[in-house]
Amino acid sequence: MIIDLTDTTSSEIASALLKARRHAGSPAMGMVGTIVVVVDEASHHDAMKAANEAGREHPSRVLVAILRPGRGAPGLDAEVRVGEGIPGEAVLLRLHGELAKVPESVITPLLLPDSPVIVWWPGGGPRVPAEDPLGRLGRRRVTDAASTRRASIDFSARAEGYKPGDTDFAWTRLTPWRALMAAALDQYPTKVTGAEVAAAKGNPSADLMAAWLQSRLKVPVEQRNSRGPGVTAVRLFTPSGPIALTRPDGAVATFSVPGQPDRPVALKRRTTSELLSEELRRLDPDDVYAKTLACMVERDQMPAAEKKVDAAARKSTAASVSAAGKKVVAAQPEPAAKKTGAKKTVVKKAAAKKSAAKKTVARKSAAKKVAGSKRVAKR
């Protein structure tokens, strides 16, 4: 059911939601929270679609706010949707004029009571989400640095103004990468001497991945540009060889561990609705993200040389020791005792040959004498 409201108010929208639920035959709400989406006119369709798909796992009331500040008269237009394949409720709000500067006055009366509020900015979001008028309403504030060109500046500001509940889709995209690398070190505990992250140029997830590795492992982490898509490889350099997770095609990755055969791992790039669903599963503060943000700011201030992994850290110690051992064995001279023993053996063999030759000559001579004596006796 779709209800269009022009030049309306929050109370009329709430009444339209109640009417739509009763018409759909479900007077009880049965929703677990409210998702507030702050978006522009061009991308509101994709954002609402992603929020509704996430609602299949977490039925929610979705409030999509399109802010149109200007000199015109303040006004509010709404479109209420219930049913029609929507697991919860969806309201599209267009705020005009001065009303767009105070969107919390429209959104607050429409929030579900006694339930969490998640505020999502698909287009990047404010530099300090917790200070935004709508951000103050949310228990979880979700931004997406990949949607803006000033990701490094935004992350610096968000690190300074971080509040529990802040997160970013650039961080959410790293969840399977971080899980696999942590599992690798759990299964094959070893010393890590350095790390490397390869990704498309300007990818904010790569910056966060490098900061996370540095904050957890306390080793230099080098970043390299690749053709993408997204993050394409993460390598941990160890004395036994590199632990690597490479994904050149954005779908299937190869997991490599020293001394083990390579294994394929499903690691496809997730959709926006899947990322939003993950954020809805946990609403507690993400302390690891906060520490990673702080480390990312530290890395921005570090000299470039300190973010490089030297050749000694990249090289496998086991391989270098083995190669060095072979060179030593090949270049090492034979001991004097061995040489003396070899000479004695050669002398003994030569003497034995001479003795055998003398015995052979003596036998032939004795045989000739016997044959001569027999001839004399016959005569």
Side-chain angles (χ1 to χ4, degrees):
M1 182 178 183
I2 300 177
I3 302 175
D4 290 321
L5 301 173
T6 304
D7 196 15
T8 185
T9 62
S10 298
S11 60
E12 291 180 357
I13 295 173
S15 299
L17 285 169
L18 180 59
K19 177 182 177 182
R21 282 201 308 271
R22 288 177 176 173
H23 184 271
S26 56
M29 289 184 288
M31 286 169 284
V32 298
T34 306
I35 304 175
V36 179
V37 185
V38 187
V39 70
D40 56 19
E41 189 72 44
S43 56
H44 81 275
H45 178 75
D46 293 337
M48 178 175 284
K49 180 181 178 182
N52 288 330
E53 289 177 355
R56 301 184 188 281
E57 183 177 343
H58 310 275
S60 306
R61 174 177 288 180
V62 179
L63 305 177
V64 181
I66 301 175
L67 308 182
R68 292 179 169 180
R71 297 182 180 180
L76 173 63
D77 299 330
E79 184 180 289
V80 178
R81 299 181 182 182
V82 177
E84 303 291 335
I86 299 175
E89 299 172 344
V91 182
L92 179 62
L93 304 167
R94 290 184 173 89
L95 288 72
H96 306 275
E98 292 296 321
L99 189 61
K101 299 179 181 180
V102 285
E104 69 277 12
S105 63
V106 176
I107 298 296
T108 302
L110 299 177
L111 301 178
L112 292 176
D114 302 325
S115 61
V117 178
I118 298 90
V119 185
W120 171 35
W121 292 269
R127 297 181 63 182
V128 183
E131 296 180 0
D132 185 82
L134 291 178
R136 296 191 189 101
L137 303 176
R139 180 184 297 183
R140 197 77 165 175
R141 294 169 291 275
V142 185
T143 55
D144 190 359
S147 300
T148 179
R149 296 181 180 179
R150 60 181 197 278
S152 59
I153 300 175
D154 288 347
F155 276 133
S156 299
R158 287 168 189 168
E160 295 177 1
Y162 173 83
K163 297 294 181 183
D166 291 354
T167 190
D168 195 282
F169 275 169
W171 175 249
T172 313
R173 293 183 181 98
L174 294 177
T175 301
W177 288 86
R178 294 188 296 119
L180 287 170
M181 300 312 295
L185 290 180
D186 285 341
Q187 296 176 14
Y188 309 97
T190 184
K191 179 182 178 182
V192 178
T193 56
E196 179 183 86
V197 178
K201 185 177 181 180
N203 186 275
S205 294
D207 298 334
L208 287 171
M209 187 70 186
W212 176 71
L213 290 172
Q214 181 172 315
S215 65
R216 306 304 294 178
L217 299 176
K218 309 300 181 185
V219 297
V221 181
E222 183 175 341
Q223 290 183 244
R224 291 193 171 187
N225 293 331
S226 66
R227 295 182 178 179
V231 179
T232 56
V234 177
R235 297 179 181 88
L236 305 180
F237 302 108
T238 72
S240 305
I243 298 174
L245 185 63
T246 56
R247 186 192 63 179
D249 60 354
V252 179
T254 301
F255 188 51
S256 306
V257 176
Q260 301 288 335
D262 293 348
R263 290 175 288 174
V265 179
L267 194 63
K268 71 179 184 68
R269 305 189 74 191
R270 294 183 293 172
T271 62
T272 304
S273 61
E274 292 173 326
L275 298 175
L276 185 59
S277 295
E278 179 181 329
E279 292 300 333
L280 292 174
R281 292 188 200 114
R282 55 169 302 176
L283 301 177
D284 57 317
D286 193 342
D287 297 331
V288 179
Y289 174 64
K291 293 178 181 178
T292 303
L293 272 182
C295 185
M296 186 175 176
V297 175
E298 293 178 5
R299 282 179 57 84
D300 290 340
Q301 299 172 353
M302 289 171 55
E306 295 183 11
K307 293 185 285 187
K308 297 289 185 179
V309 181
D310 56 19
R314 290 174 177 273
K315 196 171 183 180
S316 171
T317 305
S320 61
V321 169
S322 176
K326 290 180 181 178
K327 290 181 180 179
V328 169
V329 170
Q332 186 176 8
E334 294 183 1
K338 289 186 177 180
K339 289 184 177 180
T340 305
K343 287 181 179 180
K344 289 182 178 180
T345 303
V346 172
V347 171
K348 288 181 179 180
K349 288 182 178 180
K353 287 183 179 180
K354 288 181 179 180
S355 177
K358 288 180 179 180
K359 289 180 181 180
T360 303
V361 172
R363 287 196 207 98
K364 290 181 178 180
S365 177
K368 286 180 180 180
K369 288 180 179 180
V370 172
S373 61
K374 286 182 179 180
R375 291 193 195 99
V376 172
K378 287 182 180 178
R379 291 175 183 176

